[in-house]
């Protein structure tokens, strides 16, 4: 028996979100290949890949440039999205993928605080519980196996935390600016990914972030394919999120943790200790609680 149109209409947005989560959850591998095999720092990869997407969106939707230039709030999305991509891509390229992704998903903690400040949403018991779960999980994940203090954080852990905070800010601002044209919001996100990564690379200097040199045609094609996949993932996110309830979208997006963890463990790019599993369960639990509606 073939599914009816209503069932198809439900599955298509869900599959689009799963595709988005799959691309993001496994994106660490191409970034790591470009870093280790081609000598391209993840900040420059991020800048180049997102610049390709900016060129495509800008050419197809030139009006998006005008709306972006006239809307100061969209430039906060540029900053938030750019910081998200620069820190996340850098972290999963050089760090333990499982740890970075779990710390990135502290978003429920930051989302509660930012929604209160930016959207004036009330601080409900559900929100307080999410904060406590996420904080407890973060402490367990970050606590060193041999040590008595969380400080100083390892740089890749810090990248994961900053990435999660900026992604929460990005989502809050997207919600606040939901009346804006989709193309303008997409342009803001991709432009941020290119600008922030490039500016950060320049600010850190060539000793820490070497300039890209002598990439072969094969590696350039590899990077271009990655750019196309990110553009596809963004389309999938906008398509799915616009057609499913927000709580369903949040739950489906958590499959990114599964894709990232399974692929990293299978390919030796991450480890799963008992403390990481416990802390990660609390962080994911906080995210699921954020999606739950009575």
């Amino acid at each position: 028996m073939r599914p009816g149109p209503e069932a198809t209409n439900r599955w298509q947005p869900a599959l689009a979100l799963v595709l988005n989560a799959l691309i993001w959850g496994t994106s660490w591998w191409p970034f790591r290949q470009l870093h280790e095999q081609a000598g391209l720092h993840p900040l420059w990869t991020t800048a180049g890949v997102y610049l390709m997407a900016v060129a495509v969106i800008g050419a197809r939707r030139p009006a998006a440039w005008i709306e972006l230039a006239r809307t100061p709030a969209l430039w906060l999305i540029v900053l938030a999205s750019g910081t998200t991509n620069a820190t996340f891509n850098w972290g999963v390229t050089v760090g333990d993928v499982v740890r970075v992704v779990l710390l990135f998903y502290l978003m429920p903690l930051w989302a509660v605080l930012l929604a209160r400040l930016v959207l004036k949403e009330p601080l409900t018991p559900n929100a307080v519980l999410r904060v406590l779960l996420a904080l407890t999980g973060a402490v367990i994940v970050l606590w060193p196996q041999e040590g008595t203090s969380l400080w100083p954080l390892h740089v890749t852990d810090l990248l994961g935390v900053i990435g999660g905070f900026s992604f929460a800010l990005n989502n809050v601002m997207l919600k606040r600016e939901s009346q804006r044209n989709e193309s303008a919001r997409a342009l803001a996100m991709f432009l941020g990914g290119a600008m922030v990564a490039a500016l950060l690379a320049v600010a850190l200097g060539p000793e820490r972030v070497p300039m890209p040199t002598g990439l072969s045609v094969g590696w350039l094609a590899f990077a271009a394919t990655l750019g196309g996949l990110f553009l596809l993932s963004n389309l999938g996110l906008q398509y799915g999120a616009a057609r499913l309830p927000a709580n369903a979208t949040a739950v489906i997006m958590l499959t990114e943790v599964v894709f990232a963890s399974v692929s990293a463990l299978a390919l030796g790019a991450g480890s799963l200790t008992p403390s990481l599993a416990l802390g990660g369960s609390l962080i994911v639990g906080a995210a699921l609680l954020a999606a739950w509606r009575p």
Side-chain angles (χ1 to χ4, degrees), residues 2-283:
R2 298 181 64 182
E6 291 186 2
T8 301
N9 290 339
R10 287 196 300 269
W11 277 108
Q12 287 177 345
L15 289 175
L17 292 176
V18 171
L19 175 64
N20 173 271
L22 174 63
I23 292 173
W24 272 100
T26 57
S27 65
W28 65 269
W29 185 82
F31 273 95
R32 194 164 287 203
Q33 293 300 305
L34 286 164
H35 180 55
E36 296 177 353
Q37 303 298 325
L40 189 60
H41 193 280
L43 287 177
W44 287 121
T45 302
T46 301
V49 162
Y50 280 79
L51 190 60
M52 297 176 199
V54 168
V56 172
I57 297 173
R60 291 179 61 86
R61 298 288 188 271
W65 287 105
I66 299 174
E67 185 168 355
L68 176 60
R70 293 176 175 176
T71 312
L74 288 179
W75 286 95
L76 188 53
I77 294 176
V78 169
L79 177 62
S81 176
T83 305
T84 298
N85 288 284
T87 53
F88 179 81
N89 293 338
W90 190 359
V92 296
T93 299
V94 301
D96 185 301
V97 175
V98 179
R99 283 178 65 91
V100 173
V101 170
L102 286 175
L103 292 172
F104 180 81
Y105 267 88
L106 283 172
M107 286 182 294
L109 165 63
W110 310 124
V112 168
L113 303 177
L114 289 169
R116 176 62 179 165
L117 292 173
V118 178
L119 303 176
K120 309 302 180 184
E121 291 185 358
L123 197 61
T124 63
N126 179 294
V128 173
L129 180 57
R130 278 148 45 196
V131 169
L132 293 176
L133 280 175
L135 276 176
T136 304
V139 170
I140 294 173
V141 168
L142 292 171
W143 200 271
Q145 295 186 7
E146 296 180 1
T148 58
S149 175
L150 293 178
W151 195 260
L153 291 180
H154 192 276
V155 63
T156 54
D157 291 341
L158 191 59
L159 289 171
V161 172
I162 294 173
F165 174 82
S166 54
F167 191 44
L169 176 59
N170 179 75
N171 291 343
V172 168
M173 289 304 300
L174 284 175
K175 183 176 181 180
R176 200 184 81 167
E177 302 301 316
S178 58
Q179 78 283 4
R180 304 291 177 190
N181 183 274
E182 286 187 2
S183 298
R185 285 181 285 147
L187 179 63
M189 288 188 286
F190 280 109
L191 182 63
M195 285 181 56
V196 173
L199 290 173
L200 185 56
V202 172
L204 290 174
E207 292 185 358
R208 295 181 179 178
V209 184
M211 292 288 291
T213 56
L215 284 177
S216 67
V217 174
W219 284 117
L220 289 173
F222 186 81
T225 302
L226 181 59
L229 287 173
F230 275 132
L231 187 58
L232 179 63
S233 75
N234 181 272
L235 295 175
L237 175 61
Q238 295 209 41
Y239 176 83
R243 290 163 175 80
L244 290 176
N247 55 333
T249 297
V251 172
I252 294 172
M253 292 304 294
L254 278 174
T255 56
E256 180 184 336
V257 177
V258 178
F259 291 131
S261 300
V262 171
S263 61
L265 292 172
L267 298 174
S271 57
L272 188 63
T273 63
S275 60
L276 189 62
L278 175 59
S281 298
L282 293 175
I283 292 172

